[in-house]
């Protein structure tokens, strides 16, 4: 699956939830009904989201009003120019704009998805104030943006390890009923190939004796599972 396909699937899921009236629970996603025109405020909001993400990627969705649970029709902008204006309000290093994608979500609406990398946090923004604090490390708390506290700066600088994405590449199972009195039951063999996709450049170590799994077997959809198997690799 390509990064574009993966992002599109994520966006469609988020949008469907918002249109049902749900709030996006993911703290790394921000919805905008239109392209923000206050570029300094935009930089502060994005910097806050990126600082609080602790190394995870963050996403902006342009073209959806989360409060009203509706799709919108944003004005057309030159993304390169818009991003250049937003970047100018960061001190030295902005978040990385990794991907922008137009995602069709119904017959007449597109949502623009922006995916940002946050591996170079902390992100500092210029306040634009004269004679006062010239720079700020913004922080996202819930749906509000504020200045970061000291302990939150420590969280930004502390090394983090993100769990890798795991995909099932191949799975094969074979079961046989043993009807002898001594071993009555199901003999099941499962072979699977997993793909691990690390989210950063840190080494990934998978211990062979640390693999665990569970299989629940159902006799029919109306009955609870009659047994559970604990797997160990």
């Amino acid at each position: 699956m390509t990064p574009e396909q993966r992002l599109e699937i994520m966006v469609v899921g988020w949008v469907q939830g918002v249109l049902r009236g749900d709030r996006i629970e993911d703290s790394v996603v921000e919805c905008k009904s239109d392209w923000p025109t206050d570029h300094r405020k935009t930089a502060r909001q994005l910097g806050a989201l990126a600082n609080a993400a602790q190394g995870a990627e963050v996403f902006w969705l342009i073209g959806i009003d989360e409060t009203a649970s509706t799709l919108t029709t944003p004005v057309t902008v030159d993304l390169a120019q818009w991003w250049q204006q937003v970047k100018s309000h960061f001190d030295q290093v902005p978040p990385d704009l990794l991907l922008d994608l137009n995602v069709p979500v119904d017959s007449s609406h597109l949502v623009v998805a922006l995916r940002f990398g946050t591996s170079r946090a902390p992100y500092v923004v210029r306040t634009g104030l004269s004679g006062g604090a010239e720079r700020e490390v913004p922080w996202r708390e819930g749906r509000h943006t504020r200045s970061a506290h000291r302990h939150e700066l420590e969280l930004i600088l502390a090394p983090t390890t993100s769990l890798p994405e795991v995909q099932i590449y191949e799975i094969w199972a074979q079961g046989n009923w043993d009807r002898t009195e001594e071993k009555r039951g199901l003999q099941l063999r499962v072979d699977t190939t997993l793909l691990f996709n690390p989210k950063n450049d840190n080494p990934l170590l998978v211990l062979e004796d640390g693999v665990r799994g569970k299989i629940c077997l159902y006799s029919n959809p109306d009955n609870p599972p009659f047994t559970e198997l604990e797997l160990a690799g």
Side-chain angles (χ1 to χ4, degrees):
M1 183 180 295
T2 67
E4 290 81 5
Q5 290 172 323
R6 187 178 298 111
L7 179 56
E8 185 163 359
I9 291 172
M10 293 166 61
V11 170
V12 170
W14 287 326
V15 169
Q16 289 177 346
V18 170
L19 296 181
R20 288 194 303 266
D22 301 333
R23 283 283 190 176
I24 296 178
E25 298 296 333
D26 202 322
S27 60
V28 297
V29 181
E30 175 84 14
C31 294
K32 298 291 184 183
S33 59
D34 209 338
W35 290 95
T37 56
D38 186 336
H39 302 110
R40 188 185 307 279
K41 180 180 178 181
T42 300
R44 186 171 185 262
Q45 290 178 339
L46 176 58
L49 190 68
N51 284 331
Q54 294 184 255
E57 294 178 347
V58 299
F59 305 86
W60 273 29
L61 309 181
I62 313 295
I64 183 165
D65 187 330
E66 190 175 10
T67 302
S69 300
T70 58
L71 297 170
T72 63
T73 305
V75 298
T76 301
V77 301
D78 183 325
L79 176 58
Q81 183 179 8
W82 178 86
W83 179 231
Q84 188 62 40
Q85 291 172 315
V86 173
K87 284 199 306 182
S88 68
H89 295 288
F90 282 93
D91 183 52
Q92 298 181 329
V93 177
D96 298 312
L97 179 55
L98 302 176
L99 183 62
D100 63 275
L101 190 67
N102 292 329
V103 180
V105 292
D106 67 14
S107 59
S108 58
H109 289 89
L110 292 172
V111 168
V112 181
L114 306 178
R115 178 165 67 97
F116 296 94
T118 69
S119 61
R120 301 188 68 185
Y123 298 102
V124 181
V125 295
R126 299 187 181 93
T127 64
L129 299 177
S130 178
E134 297 180 353
R135 294 169 179 82
E136 177 195 24
V137 179
W139 187 265
R140 176 72 172 266
E141 182 177 25
R143 299 186 178 278
H144 303 286
T145 299
R146 57 169 174 77
S147 299
H149 293 292
R150 180 181 181 277
H151 71 277
E152 290 163 341
L153 294 177
E154 292 178 329
L155 289 176
I156 296 174
L157 297 173
T160 59
T161 300
S162 300
L163 292 176
E165 293 181 357
V166 181
Q167 294 180 329
I168 297 178
Y169 177 75
E170 184 179 47
I171 187 168
W172 177 85
Q174 182 179 16
N176 294 298
W177 284 104
D178 190 334
R179 301 185 181 280
T180 62
E181 291 296 332
E182 297 81 8
K183 298 180 180 180
R184 183 180 298 274
L186 175 65
Q187 295 181 341
L188 182 66
R189 173 178 176 178
V190 178
D191 294 315
T192 183
T193 301
L194 301 178
L195 299 180
F196 292 86
N197 180 26
K199 295 183 179 179
N200 51 44
D201 295 330
N202 295 334
L204 176 63
L205 177 63
V206 179
L207 300 178
E208 184 177 355
D209 62 352
V211 179
R212 296 291 183 270
K214 179 183 289 186
I215 297 177
C216 296
L217 302 177
Y218 292 81
S219 55
N220 65 61
D222 298 323
N223 291 336
F226 60 82
T227 188
E228 290 186 353
L229 305 178
E230 294 286 348
L231 307 179

